[in-house]
Amino acid sequence: MNRYSIMVAAVLGFSTQAALVTESVGYQVDGQEFQGYLAFDDRLASPLPGVLVVHEWWGLNDYIRRRAEMLAELGYVALALDMYGDGREANHPSEAGEFARASLASLPQAERRFNVAREQLARHPRVAGSPMAAVGYCYGGGVVLHMARSGAPLAAVASFHGSLTPKANPLPAGSNIRIAVFNGAADPLVPAEQVATFRQEMDAAGADYVLVNYPGALHAFTNPDADRVAAEFKMPVGYDEAADQDSWRQLQTFLKDSFE
């Protein structure tokens, strides 16, 4: 585990001593190479539920790898997937925006990128037929909500500070996927109107959902690196320790209930 991962673990109050196995997982989509990151606790008996983790617009970086490890510490097999290809990571908002826009320019292609990773996780011998969920952060939050609306075979999805606006069709009535949204009430990228419209969509579909709106929390409130990003790039983001810890506690209950 690198120094950044240890720092994140310390801020979030989690032990780095779990008997974790981590490995890079390579796969191809439409002829392009992708690099995911798999984590599980090899002390636990299989099969275990699988959880896909979708990165922020920065790409599959140390922060998302650590989130996959934290899910593995909870007893899941976690696969942080690569939505950009070739394991690309952005170092500047302009580059991140370019990567994100290109990845979503074709929604069918974006869905294939997600689903190939999902199939990789479903075939893993430690998952092997167990139910699966998906968790996404920022850009990834929008992705997992889109996959829920598209009918992906998942038990549940959870979005952290992600866009709530449908990228295509809204959630269909009768969908049995469970949905959790953890949002910053002070996030200018997800204004109150968007939150209200999302609630209307979920209610119209009769969805099994929870939406938690944290007062004063900004975009990227779960990422300890957000304050540095705000200062360096003059972006409206910021870490909120209380919202981060509460949303993580609620996620644990949400996943446990979804897999029962």
Side-chain angles (χ1 to χ4, degrees):
M1 185 178 296
N2 59 41
R3 187 174 67 176
Y4 180 80
S5 296
I6 293 172
M7 180 276 289
V8 172
V11 169
L12 298 174
F14 284 82
S15 169
T16 61
Q17 302 304 313
L20 295 183
V21 173
T22 63
E23 58 190 56
S24 178
V25 177
Y27 52 97
Q28 286 194 342
V29 185
D30 297 333
Q32 184 178 1
E33 297 292 333
F34 289 76
Q35 289 292 327
Y37 181 77
L38 185 78
F40 60 88
D41 187 334
D42 66 357
R43 298 172 301 181
L44 302 178
S46 302
L48 299 168
V51 181
L52 294 151
V53 188
V54 188
H55 53 74
E56 299 175 302
W57 72 339
W58 302 109
L60 205 176
N61 57 15
D62 284 344
Y63 171 67
I64 293 300
R65 282 187 279 269
R66 177 57 193 147
R67 286 294 182 182
E69 292 167 2
M70 290 166 67
L71 285 161
E73 289 167 0
L74 296 177
Y76 304 118
V77 180
L79 176 61
L81 59 94
D82 173 12
M83 286 294 292
Y84 293 164
D86 302 313
R88 287 181 296 175
E89 297 179 30
N91 295 310
H92 191 279
S94 62
E95 185 179 34
E98 178 183 341
F99 288 171
R101 286 189 295 272
S103 73
L104 297 175
S106 166
L107 288 179
Q109 180 186 67
E111 291 166 7
R112 286 195 298 275
R113 292 180 177 185
F114 180 95
N115 281 321
V116 169
R118 179 185 54 76
E119 291 161 3
Q120 288 278 330
L121 183 58
R123 288 195 298 268
H124 194 278
R126 287 185 173 269
V127 176
S130 295
M132 295 194 299
V135 176
Y137 294 83
C138 299
Y139 159 92
V143 169
V144 301
L145 288 176
H146 174 71
M147 297 311 301
R149 291 166 171 135
S150 301
L154 298 165
V157 300
S159 169
F160 292 81
H161 40 82
S163 171
L164 305 181
T165 302
K167 302 182 187 307
N169 297 323
L171 187 74
S175 173
N176 60 6
I177 191 167
R178 302 186 76 234
I179 295 174
V181 166
F182 303 101
N183 185 65
D187 184 349
L189 303 180
V190 186
E193 295 81 3
Q194 189 177 135
V195 175
T197 300
F198 176 80
R199 288 189 187 275
Q200 292 170 5
E201 175 194 356
M202 294 295 106
D203 291 341
D208 181 356
Y209 81 102
V210 59
L211 191 155
V212 183
N213 222 18
Y214 292 103
L218 293 169
H219 196 71
F221 64 80
T222 66
N223 191 334
D225 199 40
D227 291 338
R228 179 196 64 80
V229 169
E232 182 174 354
F233 300 114
K234 305 297 186 291
M235 295 181 66
V237 300
Y239 180 64
D240 187 311
E241 183 177 7
D244 178 26
Q245 293 186 354
D246 182 76
S247 60
W248 186 254
R249 285 192 295 268
Q250 294 209 44
L251 175 70
Q252 293 177 57
T253 301
F254 175 76
L255 290 176
K256 182 176 181 294
D257 292 346
S258 297
F259 289 139
E260 286 183 344

